[in-house]
Amino acid sequence: MHMKLKLLLPVFFLLLLSCEEKRKATGSLPKDPLKKDGLYHLRTTSRIAGDPYGNFVTDTQGNIYIASFQKKEGALDRILIAKLSSVGELLWEKGQQSTGRAQAITISPEGKIWICGFFQGQLSWDGSSIKSKENAMFWARLDQDGKTEYLEKPAGEIMATQLHTNSAGEMLMVASMGKSATIGGMGLDRKVDETGAVILLDKEGKTKWIKALKGNVKRILSDANNSFWLGGDFKDEFYFEQDSFQIEDPFDRDGFLIRIAEDGSWSKQIGHKGIRRMGYS
């Protein structure tokens, strides 16, 4: 037993050193990225958590736009929005002077970059500025050079977690919210058992409708008819609009798949309730 411990301790120490070196790493790229495919390191978040570290989209030229964050001095997270070329070259970055995180990103058919996340204090980009003493959501549109064209702080308690654009340029946003919120000129009062909202916005970021949701949305896609599809899971009960699903077993979770048209109508559940625990049925 003692011999095993003696052998394991040096290995554990080496692993700790390796982890420490990774934490100290800064953004780096191969000297000649045009000649080398591989995994490129932009920034280290320095966070250990189960939540997503970032999101990204690509444009028609293969450039990559990233919404993320990086821990800075005083254990505060700083917003990180970046553009990389198709070979991993860092073209620009934005938000490193602002406290918060960029959480979701999408690109319109015209190539406009829409980003949402949260911030604290003051967010000042390219002549646009918003303020908040507490953590608050920001909602922004950038051009492909990173210049801010639109910046909004929605009123109330709301935090966007998912964002997707269809080929018509409409955007569907999923957000968690408190008692009430207003975004894009339209508001919603949340009932006690509701967990969040689904929001349809036009090309300019103005809200077309906002509806309550009870469930955990994990992915949004759109089809050739520009309908949005939402997939996720729920515990005990899921509902959207006038319909709901229930699970009797308190330890079970089930999956849902819904299709949302422009007017907010939706399709029925896929699968059977309560067949598999902690997964999709």
Side-chain angles (χ1 to χ4, degrees):
M1 181 67 179
H2 293 291
M3 180 61 69
K4 289 182 179 179
L5 285 175
K6 289 179 181 179
L7 291 173
L8 286 172
L9 282 174
V11 176
F12 182 63
F13 182 67
L14 288 173
L15 286 173
L16 286 176
L17 286 177
S18 176
C19 291
E20 183 63 26
E21 288 302 316
K22 289 181 180 178
R23 286 179 180 274
K24 293 179 181 178
T26 57
S28 60
L29 290 169
K31 292 182 179 179
D32 190 356
L34 291 174
K35 294 183 179 180
K36 189 174 183 180
D37 293 331
L39 181 64
Y40 298 104
H41 175 236
L42 175 64
R43 291 287 182 271
T44 300
T45 63
S46 298
R47 289 291 190 195
I48 300 175
D51 58 345
Y53 290 106
N55 206 337
F56 71 93
V57 291
T58 59
D59 61 22
T60 55
Q61 288 76 44
N63 298 307
I64 306 160
Y65 302 84
I66 299 173
S68 188
F69 67 95
Q70 183 180 19
K71 188 180 78 170
K72 292 288 189 177
E73 298 79 9
L76 294 174
D77 292 336
R78 301 287 184 174
I79 295 169
L80 174 61
I81 302 167
K83 178 180 180 179
L84 282 72
S85 72
S86 59
V87 293
E89 178 186 5
L90 178 62
L91 301 178
W92 55 256
E93 62 180 9
K94 196 180 195 73
Q96 288 283 275
Q97 303 305 315
S98 304
T99 301
R101 295 186 182 187
Q103 293 185 293
I105 187 169
T106 189
I107 185 168
S108 72
E110 295 78 23
K112 300 296 183 180
I113 312 301
W114 287 92
I115 300 169
C116 51
F118 64 88
F119 76 103
Q120 184 178 11
Q122 183 168 348
L123 196 62
S124 298
W125 293 344
D126 306 312
S128 299
S129 181
I130 52 178
K131 296 180 180 181
S132 177
K133 293 182 180 180
E134 306 294 334
N135 281 341
M137 177 182 157
F138 74 85
W139 169 231
R141 182 180 70 214
L142 312 179
D143 65 16
Q144 293 192 4
D145 294 322
K147 184 177 180 181
T148 306
E149 299 181 338
Y150 177 90
L151 182 63
E152 178 191 352
K153 179 178 79 70
E157 301 171 333
I158 185 168
M159 199 68 68
T161 56
Q162 300 279 342
L163 188 62
H164 181 78
T165 308
N166 64 18
S167 59
E170 296 173 323
M171 290 168 286
L172 196 73
M173 178 187 295
V174 174
S176 59
M177 58 178 288
K179 292 182 179 180
S180 63
T182 299
I183 181 171
M186 191 175 294
L188 176 69
D189 293 323
R190 183 180 68 87
K191 297 178 182 178
V192 175
D193 57 347
E194 294 167 345
T195 57
V198 180
I199 306 155
L200 182 68
L201 305 109
D202 65 17
K203 295 180 180 180
E204 302 302 319
K206 299 300 180 184
T207 300
K208 302 182 75 170
W209 51 254
I210 176 170
K211 300 185 178 186
L213 170 82
K214 184 177 181 181
N216 179 27
V217 177
K218 294 189 174 182
R219 193 173 185 187
I220 310 175
L221 293 174
S222 57
D223 59 26
N225 297 318
N226 291 322
S227 294
F228 292 96
W229 290 80
L230 279 68
D233 63 8
F234 66 99
K235 185 178 183 298
D236 300 328
E237 181 183 26
F238 166 85
Y239 72 76
F240 181 70
E241 291 288 75
Q242 304 302 316
D243 295 296
S244 65
F245 310 133
Q246 289 84 29
I247 296 179
E248 295 180 359
D249 190 333
F251 299 103
D252 200 7
R253 298 186 72 89
D254 196 18
F256 67 85
L257 177 66
I258 62 176
R259 177 176 59 84
I260 302 178
E262 183 177 351
D263 61 357
S265 60
W266 69 291
S267 67
K268 63 182 180 179
Q269 182 195 32
I270 305 296
H272 303 284
K273 295 187 284 293
I275 300 300
R276 293 182 183 173
R277 184 166 293 180
M278 300 303 290
Y280 289 86
S281 60

